[in-house]
Amino acid sequence: MSNVTYHISNLLEKMTSTDKDFRFMATNDLMMELQKDSIKLDEDSERKVVTMLLKLLEDKNGEVQNLAVKCLGPLVSKVKEYQVETMVDTLCSNMVSDKEQLRDISSMGLKTVIAELPPASAGLCLTANVCKKITSQLIGAMGKQDDVSVQLEALDILSDMLGRLSSTLVSFHQSILTSLLPQLTSPRMAVRKRAIMALGHLVPSCSPALFTQLAEHLMKELSRGAPGANTRTYIQCLTTITRQGGHRVGEHLERIIPMMVKFCNVEDDELRENCFQAFEAFVRRCPKEMSPHIPTVIKLCLKYVTHDPNYNYDAEEDQEDSMDLENGEDEDQESDDEYSDDDDMSWKVRRSSVKCLEAVISSRRDLLVELYGSVCPTLVSRFKEREENVKSDIFLAFVALVRQTKPPHGSALDPGAKEDPAVTLLKKQVPTVIKALHKQLKEKSMKSRQGCFNILTEMANVLPGALGEHIPNLIPGIVYSLTDKSTSSNMKIDALAFLHVLLSSHTPEVFHPHIKVILPPVIHCVEDPFYKITSEALQVTQQMVKLMRPLEKQSSFDVKPYVKDVFSSTLKRLKAADIDQEVKERAISCMGHIVGHLGDQLGGDLQPTLQIFLERLKNEITRLTAVKTLCLVAASPLKIDLRPILTEGIPILGSFLRKNQRALKLNTLTALNIIVTNYSDCFKPAMLESVLNELPALIQESDMHISQVAIMLLTCMAKVCPSSLAKIGGTILPEVLHLVHSPLLQGGALCSIVEFFQALVLTKASNTGYSDLMKALTGPFYKAKSSDSMSVHRQSYYSVAKCVAALSSACPKEASGTVTNLIQEVKNQRTSESVRILSFLCLGEVGRTTNLGGHKELKTVIMEAFSSPNEEVKSAASCALGNICVGNLEEYLPFLLKEIGGQPKRQYLLLHSLKEVISALSAESLKPHVENIWTLLFKNCECAEEGTRNVVAECLGKLTLVNPSQLLPRLKKQLSSGSSLARSTVVTAVKFTIVDHPVPIDSLLKECIGDFLKTIQDPDLNVRRVALVMFNSAAHNKPGLIRGLLTAVLPKLYSETQIRKDLIREVEMGPFKHTVDDGLDVRKAAFECMYTLLDSCLDCLDIFEFLNHVEEGLKDHYDIRMLTFIMLARLASLSPAAVVQRLERLVEPLRATCTTKVKAGSVKQEFEKQEELRRSAMRAVAALLSISEVEKSPVMADFVNQIRTNAEMATIFESVQGDPISGAVESMDTS
């Protein structure tokens, strides 16, 4: 007999003891044993344990019974299936026993067992069998009309089971429905409620036919003429099933809505409440089907929001003044409320209608302007509502309206865009809203005041600056909430949070008159014992310090009277060591602002405060905040005297550079940068030694941003304290050079290195002279193998060329010699390719800033290089020509234009040079040459070679930006020109005029982009494709350009996603026939546009129409399927409700992709493609499953089961679980 078995048989023996304590302890020990994962029971022990526990459920002692129930949970997964069935049988038969206690304990037991059953998706038949057993018994128990408590327990357990394991009970769904429907007419309210809950859990996973049966039953009962007692139950049931499986109710709404409208007119407040709850569920869950009914619903809601038959608001307003005196007694108010709750149900109608309005506001941004006309005035007028619960819902509905008004992201980028009409309407409402709220801010009720602050905070966020003129009305309310004795801490926190938003979103001048009133209560809050209040108050104080004396402009406000209070209260918090971390950080930050803005007023207090900062720097917990604060103080224009703390502080900062905390390193480098720049006079080279020693480790290609900031610090040192860099030749310089030759170097990091070399060469330190640095930069290219021009990465050629040019511009004397050498290198035929490429690029970069007109042979050398067999050399020469032209327009531009006209074979390279010129020059210097360039480009816009046309288009686009008002109409005129090639060039040119930052052309483009977009319907395939690419670029970079045109463009866009048979042809390749689809690229471009619109214009799309085309794409070509899988995953998070409605149609193509097998003899690429498709489809499935209702859908449950049971699919599914959903959509540039 094994150890465990022996131990358990001992416990079982003790359980039969007559002493209840023995039984209790033994059961407790058994529970401990069962919870261990390692426990294994043999068959005999299993039987004995199960029998014993079932017996203990009938124990005389309640505590023992409770423990026995708890043991059943862990036991489920430890014993064989038939033992679980025995347990369930016994528990079910106890459920209908006459003893009430046994019934209760058995139903608890059943709930425990259900909660522990493995989920249906694990594919074990145990769950299914046990559930079927329980269900058949429960259906029997529900039929027992005589005992309500049995019915209630049975309904409860059934709800639990349907909620967790509904999909295993599919075979029972019909009988469950049949037994639940009669319960809806039960005389007992509790039974009706639980039956509704159970039906709610049944709905998501039942078959469409069953759902229709349920819906038909409810509608039949509801249409029975006069509203009876059960009408309310049926409406509640309808509401619950809409919330749980709402998308299916959609098709029945045409019949349901008229009935609901009729019931609203019946004089029964609770019935009306149920109707509005149903409306709310319909609006949220069936948005598309509800669209035609929205006006009706809004009208009803507005009628009943003001439904308060037993109360006269006008009288209240007359009595306002006298009321203030009477309101002193809290008890009176209590008794008032009790009366109104018992006899007057109208508040329920008001509350449910407001919630329904909120649902309309939240889900229909497209109706915003109409809502401001109809709903907004009514909501504002109801701010005077007397029932607190209703009032807080009215506030929430108004907050939803304000939030919807916030312009969607992306449209904020459009300059010149007119203000959103909704924002204008909200601005008009501001005075009315403030008038309605400012009395309420003084009310006793905290809930009301919190609601007011909530609304005001949202308004300040959506309309920064709009509350400025109303601040005098708001200040008394804020002060009251901060000083009132009875105010709760949450109320204070809300008031402070609003004050912070208000201070941040308005100009300093608005507040100056009120500082006297508002500062004392805030300071008082800084001293509050509750840390959250202190923390908020410190943040507000910090903001007020910024406003009292803004550094960026002169202010006439006199800060002297307030400095002492602000300083001493913050200092108290700064010194305290035993306070919350958040308060410590905010105190350091607030004091930093005080020193930075008011440091010259602190006198003798300044140095001790700086010493505290030094202490905080040494503390690991506060060091990051202290470093950030030091940046603030050091950058202050007040020139705070930091010398006393620098001697000790700089080595500490140096030590932070080797800590493994990225934020700390970055902030420390920034702080050092500011200190070195502003306090250069107090540095000895020895002080900087500790910092310099840490820098080599930071200049690494693995973290470009830190490298960039570190190199900026070096540049600062080179300018301010050149002697400190004497020793960097052996340590730091090699790291910088390594970075220059790195393929990853670009952008900001490259600029910082260029500046560093310029500063370094001027320090005249040893080993860093002009020629040393030149050698170090170009050395690797001379060592490269002559045949292999690419052994050094292409990017590093450009980086080195920029550095060489920077050195030349810093040392003009040496520069001319360098240029002569470079020209010799290029001319010399024996030079290796890599050196020639580098020399051309260097010539270009040098020529960009200095005029190379003196070197006469340069043009011939470059033109000869255009005939080189090496593509890289040609491209470098073309780049050089463009750059040299930038530095010497007068001589080189006419030469370049003449060559473009006269050298058709070299046109592509010459046009690239021209592109460099147009991209680099300012509009002013280009203007005189525009006409010549424009004419030349248009001669070449019909070139047969697509690459050349694209360069022409890019030149045209960038040229148009120089003088948009004249050139854009010319481009538009070219659209009507005959050839399709010219049209495609013009449309591509428009793509290059759309950039991701505001430019003057935007307003002009907005007016005429519609004409360019008409080419989406062009007869020529290629023009259609480039038009879609241009549309995609607009949607991505400046959605505001196309928002207004979407209604017209979307149908054309969608029609381009269709597969067109006439574009598919068969090509014979030897003995094989190969199908070619010419329409594929256009379709791909169209689907890419759809994906971009999801991000930038979601609110303008009809999601259901959109889904129709996504669904088609799921069955299309490989590339398009990949795109639509990613779209589907994106949609699952953006509009889950719509996806759930279409789920049945979306699962099939996913299933088809996952189960397709590649033919056995196919090539390797086919297998890889199929594998990638499967992974992508699985990612989409995983994204769909993140919507809670999806798992319950029968189709999806079936599919997931199929995945789990197929080993191969299960492995893929497991492996994609952690993948980022968006999958990298590289916007494939199809231009």
Side-chain angles (χ1 to χ4, degrees):
M1 192 184 253
S2 73
N3 225 344
V4 179
T5 319
Y6 177 68
H7 182 49
I8 285 188
S9 62
N10 257 342
L11 290 177
L12 292 173
E13 203 173 310
K14 285 184 186 159
M15 288 181 193
T16 55
S17 156
T18 48
D19 185 340
K20 64 173 191 294
D21 291 343
F22 268 28
R23 297 200 302 277
F24 179 82
M25 288 315 294
T27 316
N28 196 34
D29 290 349
L30 178 67
M31 188 165 79
M32 293 302 174
E33 282 299 319
L34 289 173
Q35 279 168 345
K36 290 178 188 163
D37 285 337
S38 55
I39 183 170
K40 292 273 185 289
L41 297 173
D42 57 29
E43 209 157 315
D44 192 37
S45 309
E46 274 186 19
R47 196 185 69 250
K48 285 180 180 164
V49 170
V50 171
T51 319
M52 196 64 197
L53 284 175
L54 291 173
K55 191 174 154 205
L56 287 179
L57 287 179
E58 303 183 37
D59 197 282
K60 295 188 196 68
N61 181 286
E63 287 177 340
V64 176
Q65 282 183 327
N66 284 342
L67 264 182
V69 166
K70 283 183 187 162
C71 287
L72 294 177
L75 196 63
V76 171
S77 54
K78 299 281 191 296
V79 298
K80 307 244 177 352
E81 189 176 319
Y82 66 88
Q83 296 290 5
V84 181
E85 292 186 19
T86 314
M87 279 159 46
V88 170
D89 275 341
T90 316
L91 290 169
C92 285
S93 51
N94 287 349
M95 276 271 310
V96 286
S97 130
D98 304 336
K99 298 183 192 152
E100 188 174 348
Q101 196 180 8
L102 183 60
R103 278 201 313 252
D104 288 352
I105 208 83
S106 300
S107 69
M108 272 169 65
L110 274 174
K111 285 178 187 166
T112 313
V113 170
I114 289 168
E116 286 299 323
L117 285 173
S121 52
L124 300 174
C125 45
L126 159 75
T127 306
N129 295 345
V130 171
C131 287
K132 286 172 186 165
K133 261 207 157 45
I134 300 180
T135 311
S136 48
Q137 302 254 12
L138 287 180
I139 292 176
M142 276 193 302
K144 296 188 78 173
Q145 289 294 347
D146 49 351
D147 194 341
V148 174
S149 58
V150 174
Q151 275 183 316
L152 286 178
E153 288 298 351
L155 283 165
D156 233 5
I157 295 169
L158 192 61
S159 263
D160 268 13
M161 202 154 55
L162 286 170
R164 246 197 103 226
L165 308 161
S166 175
S167 49
T168 45
L169 298 174
V170 175
S171 53
F172 276 98
H173 281 178
Q174 182 61 58
S175 48
I176 293 176
L177 182 66
T178 317
S179 58
L180 282 175
L181 290 177
Q183 307 297 336
L184 292 175
T185 51
S186 157
R188 293 289 297 270
M189 187 166 170
V191 174
R192 298 199 300 267
K193 271 197 167 155
R194 289 192 195 182
I196 289 175
M197 269 171 60
L199 282 168
H201 286 308
L202 174 68
V203 162
S205 56
C206 70
S207 66
L210 202 66
F211 183 84
T212 311
Q213 187 188 338
L214 169 61
E216 288 296 339
H217 175 80
L218 292 175
M219 288 189 293
K220 190 175 89 201
E221 294 295 334
L222 282 174
S223 56
R224 287 226 170 130
N230 290 327
T231 307
R232 284 193 355 231
T233 309
Y234 289 125
I235 296 179
Q236 282 167 343
C237 184
L238 201 54
T239 308
T240 304
I241 64 175
T242 306
R243 283 182 191 144
Q244 295 286 347
H247 52 282
R248 293 174 165 185
V249 180
E251 57 206 70
H252 304 288
L253 281 182
E254 284 305 319
R255 288 167 57 195
I256 296 173
I257 299 287
M259 293 195 259
M260 294 289 168
V261 174
K262 192 176 77 191
F263 290 136
C264 281
N265 298 324
V266 177
E267 277 303 319
D268 172 355
D269 282 347
E270 293 198 345
L271 178 63
R272 283 179 187 145
E273 179 193 24
N274 295 141
C275 289
F276 281 120
Q277 285 168 340
F279 282 143
E280 182 191 353
F282 297 152
V283 169
R284 286 195 193 280
R285 302 307 310 268
C286 317
K288 188 169 170 71
E289 293 84 348
M290 269 307 276
S291 291
H293 307 290
I294 291 279
T296 320
V297 172
I298 292 180
K299 203 165 140 196
L300 277 173
C301 288
L302 291 175
K303 177 178 171 189
Y304 285 104
V305 162
T306 54
H307 169 71
D308 198 352
N310 304 340
Y311 197 78
N312 182 356
Y313 283 94
D314 303 336
E316 184 195 31
E317 278 167 21
D318 301 341
Q319 287 183 341
E320 281 262 294
D321 309 328
S322 54
M323 285 282 283
D324 283 353
L325 310 171
E326 294 164 23
N327 265 1
E329 301 295 313
D330 271 357
E331 291 102 278
D332 294 0
Q333 252 179 322
E334 282 299 305
S335 56
D336 258 295
D337 280 357
E338 279 164 26
Y339 147 74
S340 70
D341 267 3
D342 289 345
D343 307 345
D344 176 12
M345 285 299 177
S346 66
W347 66 277
K348 288 186 172 178
V349 180
R350 295 199 298 281
R351 186 171 72 176
S352 55
S353 59
V354 164
K355 283 191 157 166
C356 181
L357 275 178
E358 189 195 347
V360 173
I361 293 168
S362 308
S363 59
R364 297 299 300 264
R365 190 170 193 280
D366 49 329
L367 298 178
L368 206 50
V369 176
E370 293 152 53
L371 291 171
Y372 266 107
S374 53
V375 176
C376 180
T378 311
L379 282 179
V380 176
S381 70
R382 291 305 302 167
F383 285 173
K384 59 179 186 233
E385 168 66 55
R386 62 201 171 97
E387 273 292 337
E388 205 159 85
N389 293 333
V390 184
K391 186 191 283 186
S392 69
D393 280 323
I394 291 173
F395 284 168
L396 285 175
F398 191 76
V399 165
L401 187 66
V402 177
R403 275 193 189 142
Q404 284 286 40
T405 311
K406 203 173 197 157
H409 78 124
S411 59
L413 294 172
D414 305 332
K418 289 193 200 62
E419 187 174 63
D420 194 335
V423 175
T424 320
L425 290 168
L426 178 60
K427 279 189 179 158
K428 281 190 188 149
Q429 288 289 340
V430 171
T432 339
V433 174
I434 301 282
K435 189 176 171 213
L437 292 181
H438 105 101
K439 284 181 196 152
Q440 310 225 7
L441 284 173
K442 288 276 192 79
E443 273 191 13
K444 271 227 161 70
S445 145
M446 282 188 223
K447 205 169 176 184
S448 296
R449 279 186 285 164
Q450 279 175 308
C452 294
F453 283 135
N454 196 358
I455 288 182
L456 290 166
T457 307
E458 283 300 329
M459 284 173 65
N461 281 330
V462 175
L463 305 173
L467 302 181
E469 58 202 79
H470 306 286
I471 283 175
N473 292 336
L474 298 173
I475 296 285
I478 300 174
V479 172
Y480 172 69
S481 279
L482 293 178
T483 50
D484 181 34
K485 291 280 183 293
S486 59
T487 296
S488 72
S489 45
N490 277 351
M491 185 70 249
K492 278 188 183 168
I493 292 171
D494 280 0
L496 286 165
F498 165 60
L499 185 53
H500 184 249
V501 170
L502 197 63
L503 293 165
S504 316
S505 56
H506 290 75
T507 53
E509 295 73 36
V510 189
F511 287 99
H512 287 161
H514 308 288
I515 297 248
K516 192 160 85 206
V517 188
I518 205 153
L519 193 62
V522 173
I523 301 262
H524 188 70
C525 288
V526 172
E527 289 158 10
D528 196 278
F530 183 40
Y531 76 95
K532 281 193 171 161
I533 293 180
T534 310
S535 158
E536 281 293 334
L538 281 166
Q539 211 178 355
V540 172
T541 311
Q542 176 176 314
Q543 199 58 34
M544 288 178 84
V545 169
K546 279 193 202 164
L547 291 181
M548 289 199 287
R549 189 171 182 192
L551 294 176
E552 56 278 359
K553 51 184 176 187
Q554 279 298 312
S555 154
S556 54
F557 183 71
D558 179 21
V559 287
K560 282 205 178 68
Y562 310 105
V563 174
K564 189 167 170 296
D565 293 347
V566 173
F567 176 76
S568 54
S569 65
T570 310
L571 185 66
K572 200 183 292 176
R573 288 301 182 191
L574 181 66
K575 280 181 171 168
D578 53 346
I579 47 170
D580 188 81
Q581 171 71 9
E582 190 181 0
V583 179
K584 275 186 190 165
E585 290 179 1
R586 293 229 167 127
I588 295 173
S589 177
C590 181
M591 186 55 95
H593 279 82
I594 293 173
V595 174
H597 286 255
L598 313 169
D600 52 351
Q601 309 273 336
L602 295 179
D605 289 328
L606 178 63
Q607 287 311 325
T609 311
L610 292 177
Q611 289 302 323
I612 300 180
F613 281 152
L614 195 57
E615 290 307 310
R616 297 290 172 264
L617 262 186
K618 296 174 188 169
N619 180 338
E620 189 177 340
I621 295 175
T622 52
R623 64 188 180 197
L624 181 58
T625 316
V627 172
K628 288 180 181 170
T629 307
L630 204 57
C631 292
L632 264 176
V633 176
S636 163
L638 301 178
K639 296 277 176 276
I640 308 295
D641 182 11
L642 290 180
R643 278 175 307 197
I645 65 164
L646 286 184
T647 331
E648 197 180 341
I650 296 285
I652 297 176
L653 289 174
S655 70
F656 289 167
L657 294 179
R658 54 170 179 268
K659 297 283 184 267
N660 191 13
Q661 188 185 355
R662 190 165 184 271
L664 182 65
K665 282 194 246 193
L666 271 174
N667 282 294
T668 305
L669 286 167
T670 313
L672 283 166
N673 238 323
I674 297 170
I675 294 171
V676 170
T677 313
N678 292 350
Y679 296 86
S680 52
D681 45 355
C682 47
F683 276 115
K684 313 275 181 300
M687 261 172 89
L688 291 174
E689 198 86 342
S690 59
V691 176
L692 281 169
N693 293 340
E694 304 300 337
L695 289 180
L698 296 183
I699 301 173
Q700 300 294 337
E701 63 181 5
S702 55
D703 191 333
M704 279 297 179
H705 187 49
I706 285 192
S707 305
Q708 178 183 340
V709 187
I711 292 171
M712 281 156 70
L713 175 60
L714 282 169
T715 313
C716 250
M717 289 179 180
K719 287 179 184 163
V720 169
C721 186
S723 53
S724 61
L725 295 188
K727 296 182 190 154
I728 72 163
T731 51
I732 295 179
L733 204 53
E735 295 296 347
V736 177
L737 289 165
H738 178 70
L739 207 54
V740 175
H741 297 129
S742 153
L744 304 175
L745 184 68
Q746 55 175 1
L750 178 56
C751 294
S752 68
I753 288 187
V754 167
E755 283 172 22
F756 168 62
F757 278 129
Q758 280 182 319
L760 183 64
V761 76
L762 298 176
T763 60
K764 306 279 188 288
S766 60
N767 304 357
T768 60
Y770 180 82
S771 52
D772 300 317
L773 290 176
M774 278 300 225
K775 249 195 211 124
L777 282 168
T778 55
F781 297 89
Y782 286 93
K783 292 178 199 138
K785 311 262 186 315
S786 57
S787 58
D788 176 15
S789 64
M790 280 300 155
S791 60
V792 186
H793 192 279
R794 185 172 179 178
Q795 179 61 41
S796 57
Y797 284 92
Y798 291 99
S799 310
V800 170
K802 279 203 161 43
C803 294
V804 167
L807 288 174
S808 303
S809 66
C811 308
K813 285 184 192 142
E814 285 93 337
S816 61
T818 307
V819 174
T820 316
N821 286 346
L822 288 171
I823 295 178
Q824 289 313 319
E825 292 287 8
V826 176
K827 277 166 61 181
N828 183 349
Q829 289 305 317
R830 291 202 300 281
T831 313
S832 69
E833 303 279 308
S834 56
V835 175
R836 291 183 72 186
I837 295 171
L838 179 70
S839 305
F840 270 129
L841 293 175
C842 291
L843 279 171
E845 289 296 340
V846 174
R848 201 175 178 138
T849 46
T850 45
N851 185 332
L852 296 184
H855 300 272
K856 295 295 174 218
E857 55 187 341
L858 201 48
K859 289 180 195 158
T860 34
V861 171
I862 291 178
M863 294 315 284
E864 275 168 16
F866 278 3
S867 320
S868 158
N870 184 317
E871 286 299 322
E872 296 294 334
V873 173
K874 284 189 203 172
S875 145
S878 139
C879 190
L881 179 58
N883 277 327
I884 294 167
C885 185
V886 173
N888 184 359
L889 266 186
E890 273 49 54
E891 184 182 339
Y892 273 84
L893 189 62
F895 166 71
L896 179 58
L897 296 179
K898 184 173 114 254
E899 291 291 321
I900 293 178
Q903 298 251 18
K905 283 195 173 159
R906 297 176 176 175
Q907 229 171 23
Y908 181 71
L909 292 168
L910 291 161
L911 282 166
H912 261 292
S913 307
L914 183 60
K915 186 185 82 182
E916 290 284 335
V917 178
I918 297 176
S919 310
L921 284 176
S922 65
E924 285 315 303
S925 41
L926 261 180
K927 273 220 171 107
H929 310 283
V930 167
E931 281 307 318
N932 302 342
I933 301 179
W934 187 266
T935 325
L936 180 77
L937 287 171
F938 263 109
K939 279 187 191 146
N940 292 303
C941 74
E942 298 187 13
C943 172
E945 176 60 45
E946 188 179 3
T948 310
R949 280 206 314 276
N950 280 339
V951 186
V952 170
E954 190 170 344
C955 292
L956 278 172
K958 290 184 169 167
L959 202 57
T960 308
L961 292 172
V962 173
N963 186 356
S965 52
Q966 281 179 7
L967 299 179
L968 197 60
R970 287 201 202 169
L971 268 183
K972 189 169 138 188
K973 218 157 99 195
Q974 287 293 335
L975 270 184
S976 47
S977 82
S979 106
S980 59
L981 293 177
R983 289 200 300 278
S984 78
T985 309
V986 168
V987 174
T988 311
V990 175
K991 182 183 93 170
F992 286 106
T993 61
I994 303 168
V995 283
D996 58 358
H997 51 90
V999 280
I1001 195 173
D1002 293 342
S1003 49
L1004 301 166
L1005 249 183
K1006 194 165 186 178
E1007 287 162 23
C1008 67
I1009 197 166
D1011 298 311
F1012 292 109
L1013 286 175
K1014 284 184 184 144
T1015 50
I1016 292 182
Q1017 285 177 302
D1018 196 275
D1020 182 79
L1021 251 188
N1022 193 40
V1023 177
R1024 292 212 294 277
R1025 182 180 61 78
V1026 293
L1028 287 167
V1029 173
M1030 183 264 286
F1031 177 69
N1032 192 7
S1033 170
H1036 182 72
N1037 294 315
K1038 287 223 172 80
L1041 292 176
I1042 52 153
R1043 256 169 198 282
L1045 304 169
L1046 280 179
T1047 37
V1049 176
L1050 280 174
K1052 302 175 194 168
L1053 171 66
Y1054 290 148
S1055 74
E1056 288 306 319
T1057 62
Q1058 307 301 320
I1059 297 180
R1060 289 182 41 192
K1061 295 274 188 296
D1062 53 325
L1063 294 175
I1064 298 177
R1065 57 200 165 88
E1066 278 198 343
V1067 181
E1068 290 192 4
M1069 299 173 81
F1072 301 109
K1073 284 193 173 170
H1074 183 62
T1075 317
V1076 175
D1077 180 353
D1078 292 327
L1080 178 63
D1081 281 344
V1082 177
R1083 290 207 303 284
K1084 212 152 78 177
F1087 276 107
E1088 278 169 13
C1089 292
M1090 284 171 65
Y1091 182 79
T1092 309
L1093 289 173
L1094 273 188
D1095 271 348
S1096 55
C1097 304
L1098 181 66
D1099 50 333
C1100 311
L1101 301 175
D1102 171 351
I1103 286 293
F1104 293 95
E1105 176 65 11
F1106 190 92
L1107 271 167
N1108 287 342
H1109 300 286
V1110 171
E1111 196 185 319
E1112 290 304 307
L1114 290 171
K1115 305 167 193 160
D1116 203 328
H1117 179 270
Y1118 167 80
D1119 288 340
I1120 288 172
R1121 271 193 285 175
M1122 290 295 278
L1123 251 176
T1124 44
F1125 289 146
I1126 296 166
M1127 275 201 242
L1128 195 54
R1130 191 92 185 82
L1131 279 162
S1133 65
L1134 290 174
S1135 50
V1139 174
V1140 172
Q1141 262 183 307
R1142 285 296 170 80
L1143 197 61
E1144 333 246 306
R1145 285 156 54 178
L1146 296 168
V1147 170
E1148 276 323 301
L1150 286 172
R1151 188 199 302 260
T1153 300
C1154 290
T1155 50
T1156 307
K1157 293 266 190 294
V1158 184
K1159 287 184 194 144
S1162 304
V1163 289
K1164 188 178 168 209
Q1165 281 91 331
E1166 281 299 312
F1167 283 102
E1168 284 170 359
K1169 264 185 173 179
Q1170 182 56 30
E1171 181 65 11
E1172 200 35 62
L1173 266 179
R1174 274 180 162 190
R1175 289 185 70 82
S1176 199
M1178 292 285 191
R1179 277 191 206 105
V1181 174
L1184 289 174
L1185 287 172
S1186 65
I1187 309 174
S1188 55
E1189 297 145 51
V1190 167
E1191 291 176 343
K1192 295 175 182 162
S1193 131
V1195 190
M1196 195 63 169
D1198 183 38
F1199 181 29
V1200 170
N1201 215 358
Q1202 189 179 350
I1203 293 176
R1204 295 245 160 89
T1205 46
N1206 173 329
E1208 189 186 353
M1209 282 176 18
T1211 352
I1212 301 179
F1213 190 64
E1214 284 309 310
S1215 69
V1216 300
Q1217 292 281 323
D1219 286 5
I1221 279 176
S1222 67
V1225 161
E1226 280 85 16
S1227 171
M1228 300 168 242
D1229 187 11
T1230 39
S1231 51

